[in-house]
Amino acid sequence: MLAASVVALAAAFVTLPAGTAGAAQNILRADKSVPRSCFAKVLPKGTPGTDRRELKSTVDGLVQARLKPASGAEGDWDVAVFDKATGAVVAASAALRTRELAESFVKKDQELVVQGCRYGGSADRAQLGVDFLALTPQGTPTTAQKAQLVRVETPTRADKNKLTGLGLDVTEKGDATGIEVVLADDADRQVLKDSGFKSKVIEADLSAKSVQDAKTDRQYAAKTAASALPSGRTSYRHLYDYNYEMKELARKNPGLVSAFTMPESTWEGRDVVGVEIATDVKNITDGKPVNFTMGVHHAREWPAAEHVMEWAYELINGYAHDPAIRSLVGKTRNIVVPVINPDGFEISREAEPKGDFTRFDYEMKRKNCNVNDSPPQYATGVCKANPGGRLRGTDPNRNYAGFWGGAGAEIAWSGDTFRGSAPFSEPEVRNVRSIVSSRQVTNLMTMHTVAALVLRPPGVADVRPPLEEPAYKALGDKMASRNGYTSQPSWALYDTTGSTEDWSYWATGGWGFTIEVGGNGFHGPYADSVVAEYEGLAPSSGAGKGGNRQALLDQLGSAADPQQHSTLIGSAPKGYQLKLHKTFQTPTSPVIQPDGSTKPPIYVTDNLDSKFTTTGGRFAWSVNPSTRPYVAGRYGRDPQGPAQQGQAVTNPAGVPPINQNYPVDPAGDSFTFHVNGLPQVDNGKFSVNINWANTATDWDLFIYDAAGNQVSSSANGGTTSEHAVLFDPPAGDYRAVVVNYDQADPATVDDWSGDVSFASPIPPTYGPKEAYQLTCTSPKGQLVGVADVYADRGQTVDVGEVCTRSAHAQKQRASGGVR
């Protein structure tokens, strides 16, 4: 829902006092570069490597200080805005180039110091622009409404799909029977009420929780000199902290760490910054497997970025002091991008005061800042203060091409999971695509909060698992054993389309996972959500097991293991370059339209192009399998016998309703059934089904195994049936409990009848083999050889003497290698 109080923006560009006239007033100058923080404090006038301007705010609203190159030289300049009276930093920006945006809230007549710092590079000048934007409340003032967190009962996939289509703020925290949802205001509460879903309040006042969390964080930082984290950090970083720390890590570790800017800037013009960590880090065509770790697709999920940043420190510190990590780093290349969505993150992180949910839309923003899909009345103003509030923008983790357009993302611009206008419409998403498409990313990890899950494809249950499901699941289970989370396919939470790994894995074959960091809230107390969850300390579920630190090391170990990808070997003279190329089209889902109809899938073209430079003699190049999982086939198993015969079940007239009490009492009245196993039968699933006549009666259904564990359920409202399903059920006794949800008088409710039915497993399917096109060129760019290469996971393929062939050699095709 939209913010209760929207704003109008009035921009005023400020002429900057500098002692000279004209355009020169906006030019910052420094004769030398000095690598240091620009935002740590106000430096004295005349400090080498700095220039400054002093000015007074003309508005109650926002200040924006931007830097851009003043000449052809790019350089690396940073900018910070300080309150002159207190010296406190108001806003800052510290990316790798001279393209900076520092933005935050100011008061009218507030005296400010704008400080520019030349961190590095040859540019001795930078152009500074400062804008003040007034924020004026519009419309009738309203009392701030209470935001709440509720758990909605969604025992079936249909329930989950219905819930995600309501336009509510659906979180990633849930299980087989329910999902947590943020209700921002009374309008959200009414939508949920009208939907017929059952729910209970988990957090009655998110504003109060946010205020308390911020207080807890201040107390922790004040009493803790250094945390157990690799960096010793004790508080949440700002965007400028991340960017500054990454370039400092690169500066201090030049042979091991390289900082880089991703190809596209964001909608608001911010650079997206990452680091690469490897021995001989500048040689990105050395053929090592690539492990790509990223965070904050979703703006409010601050712990995700913290975990990714600490991972960078883990690798760098470990390389120096831990032989096991040193070995893994030596065998791999690690790309680390803490903040994929810097526009959204900066808005959420800089919202002050914390818990002021008259600005709820700021702190709890999920999406990026794309205005193109918003109606005109909501597309005005800057992203941090606009009539559309948090709802303006696209959910980056619903914008990838993998199954885009189907259930599991919202069609309306105002939905928190809005999919965008087309696959890859967002620059942040295209940035990730550019890396995955140009590097052999054998392992990818994207960090989120707050569901305590390790998720793998597919995001849609009807897709069925890939042929590699057993190995894929084994790696997910191993990581989950470290952090104490639940390992499951993404669809087990609810269907999602357009997510990161549902494109990267199906298109390239590189393992892709999401870790939903546990904790209490999207950005809960730092000591719990970051320190404990990363290190595996109490009160996290990974206490004593290694936490997310060890889970990420497991992922890195997978990247370093040749059995987890493919390897090309051969011989070539020094300096020759091998290139692998694939072009293919993959359909999206049938594209759901606003009226509920569908249009045909969109065919998305992907180009995979990667390079390897030889050092002379024998070589080995770690690559992903040549056949992408999307066409390789689907996992299943051939039935080893018939499915079990079903049985009818009834609640005869005159017999009291089973288990009238609610909540459920598994030991109460119920009916039992037995599931047989091999060699007599082979059950791919069972379904317990009950039906009745009148929607005024509300039966719910819960299934328990012999040990008393709930294994399935169905608890809809406003229906006349329930269906509880369990796939690949183990043989044994099961108990079905039918519950009178409304606890109505037994004389007034309909009797139910139904059955237990069984179905055979679905056999696996197999698709065609695909090839890479391999070319070899000499140092002078002459084509030397060409071949088609087929490679499976764990396979080593000898590409022979492709770099010594004639350029006119006939290409030949063969399965299982190269000819």
Side-chain angles (χ1 to χ4, degrees), residues 264-267 368-373 393-400 418-433:
E264 296 192 47
S265 57
T266 66
W267 290 103
N368 72 358
C369 285
N370 185 357
V371 304
N372 293 335
D373 301 304
T394 297
D395 182 344
N397 204 41
R398 299 294 185 274
N399 188 242
Y400 293 85
F418 174 54
R419 69 194 185 192
S421 58
F424 295 119
S425 62
E426 308 308 303
E428 298 89 349
V429 173
R430 293 195 298 270
N431 278 333
V432 175
R433 185 192 196 188

Side-chain angles (χ1 to χ4, degrees), residues 692-763:
W692 59 97
N694 193 335
T695 57
T697 297
D698 189 358
W699 295 111
D700 289 344
L701 176 62
F702 298 84
I703 312 299
Y704 296 84
D705 64 16
N709 301 308
Q710 182 180 314
V711 296
S712 185
S713 66
S714 182
N716 299 296
T719 67
T720 58
S721 64
E722 299 288 356
H723 310 276
V725 176
L726 182 64
F727 290 94
D728 290 322
D733 293 322
Y734 291 83
R735 178 183 296 271
V737 180
V738 185
V739 176
N740 178 354
Y741 174 77
D742 293 324
Q743 300 188 35
D745 185 335
T748 67
V749 300
D750 286 353
D751 292 329
W752 54 265
S753 62
D755 63 80
V756 181
S757 61
F758 296 85
S760 297
I762 300 174

Side-chain angles (χ1 to χ4, degrees), residues 87-118:
V89 63
V90 173
S93 182
L96 306 183
R97 306 187 296 175
T98 309
R99 300 173 189 274
E100 310 288 354
L101 169 58
E103 177 186 64
S104 196
F105 300 99
V106 289
K107 296 292 186 182
K108 191 174 187 303
D109 296 326
Q110 183 177 357
E111 293 186 317
L112 304 170
V113 176
V114 180
Q115 180 169 275
C117 304
R118 182 182 168 190

Side-chain angles (χ1 to χ4, degrees), residues 36-53:
R36 64 177 161 220
S37 169
C38 199
F39 54 80
K41 62 182 179 180
V42 179
L43 297 168
K45 288 182 179 180
T47 299
T50 68
D51 198 359
R52 62 191 283 183
R53 301 290 184 267

Side-chain angles (χ1 to χ4, degrees), residues 124-476:
D124 62 356
R125 292 177 296 163
Q127 184 173 331
L128 171 66
V130 179
D131 287 304
F132 290 105
L133 299 95
L135 305 185
T136 306
Q138 299 293 297
T140 303
T142 60
T143 301
Q145 296 188 28
K146 185 179 292 185
Q148 295 177 316
L149 184 69
V150 301
R151 177 182 166 86
V152 180
E153 294 181 20
T154 55
T156 69
R157 283 186 57 225
D159 293 331
K160 292 173 171 60
N161 290 338
K162 177 183 175 183
L163 178 64
T164 58
L166 292 179
L168 299 174
D169 188 356
V170 179
T171 77
E172 282 81 12
K173 189 169 186 177
D175 53 31
T177 62
I179 300 172
E180 293 186 5
V181 176
V182 175
L183 302 178
D185 50 29
D186 290 341
D188 280 0
R189 282 181 274 277
Q190 189 64 46
V191 167
L192 184 60
K193 180 179 179 181
D194 292 345
S195 72
F197 280 111
K198 304 163 188 174
S199 65
K200 67 177 182 179
V201 175
I202 302 298
E203 190 69 54
D205 189 341
L206 282 176
S207 176
K209 180 184 186 306
S210 182
V211 170
Q212 181 58 50
D213 287 349
K215 180 180 179 181
T216 299
D217 284 348
R218 290 192 296 271
Q219 292 172 339
Y220 175 76
K223 70 181 182 182
T224 308
S227 72
L229 296 170
S231 71
R233 185 85 186 184
T234 60
S235 62
Y236 283 109
R237 293 169 171 91
H238 300 268
L239 181 62
Y240 51 80
D241 288 313
Y242 284 108
N243 291 344
Y244 176 72
E245 286 182 41
M246 282 189 281
K247 63 187 180 185
E248 278 289 279
L249 288 174
R251 183 180 68 85
K252 294 176 180 178
N253 303 275
L256 185 68
V257 184
S258 176
F260 64 91
T261 301
M262 297 185 89
E264 296 192 47
S265 57
T266 66
W267 290 103
E268 293 217 311
R270 291 183 175 87
D271 282 346
V272 185
V273 177
V275 290
E276 186 154 352
I277 302 167
T279 55
D280 191 18
V281 68
K282 298 291 187 182
N283 180 18
I284 65 172
T285 59
D286 62 3
K288 293 178 181 177
V290 176
N291 184 42
F292 185 8
T293 308
M294 69 191 87
V296 185
H297 275 76
H298 295 150
R300 63 193 176 193
E301 298 174 3
W302 310 348
E306 294 290 333
H307 278 65
V308 175
M309 191 71 218
E310 293 303 322
W311 176 238
Y313 278 97
E314 188 79 60
L315 296 174
I316 295 165
N317 295 349
Y319 184 79
H321 304 294
D322 186 320
I325 295 177
R326 184 182 183 89
S327 175
L328 290 173
V329 171
K331 296 174 182 176
T332 59
R333 301 190 70 84
N334 286 271
I335 297 174
V336 179
V337 182
V339 183
I340 293 293
N341 175 14
D343 285 349
F345 172 74
E346 202 273 344
I347 288 169
S348 175
R349 180 67 183 92
E350 302 309 319
E352 291 290 356
K354 300 300 177 217
D356 178 2
F357 283 4
T358 58
R359 292 178 177 171
F360 174 81
D361 290 328
Y362 293 170
E363 187 179 339
M364 298 300 281
K365 185 174 178 64
R366 172 184 173 102
K367 303 192 286 185
N368 72 358
C369 285
N370 185 357
V371 304
N372 293 335
D373 301 304
S374 305
Q377 65 269 34
Y378 299 123
T380 61
V382 301
C383 195
K384 183 168 283 188
N386 72 92
R390 83 173 193 278
L391 297 182
R392 189 169 82 177
T394 297
D395 182 344
N397 204 41
R398 299 294 185 274
N399 188 242
Y400 293 85
F403 310 116
W404 184 92
E410 294 185 68
I411 303 168
W413 74 274
S414 57
D416 275 286
T417 60
F418 174 54
R419 69 194 185 192
S421 58
F424 295 119
S425 62
E426 308 308 303
E428 298 89 349
V429 173
R430 293 195 298 270
N431 278 333
V432 175
R433 185 192 196 188
S434 71
I435 289 178
V436 175
S437 297
S438 62
R439 308 288 293 277
Q440 290 289 340
V441 176
T442 64
N443 293 73
L444 178 148
M445 178 64 73
T446 174
M447 306 291 287
H448 289 253
T449 68
V450 61
L453 297 171
V454 178
L455 301 175
R456 64 185 185 277
V460 180
D462 290 343
V463 169
R464 293 180 57 203
L467 284 176
E468 301 177 307
E469 166 66 3
Y472 214 156
K473 180 179 183 298
L475 180 54

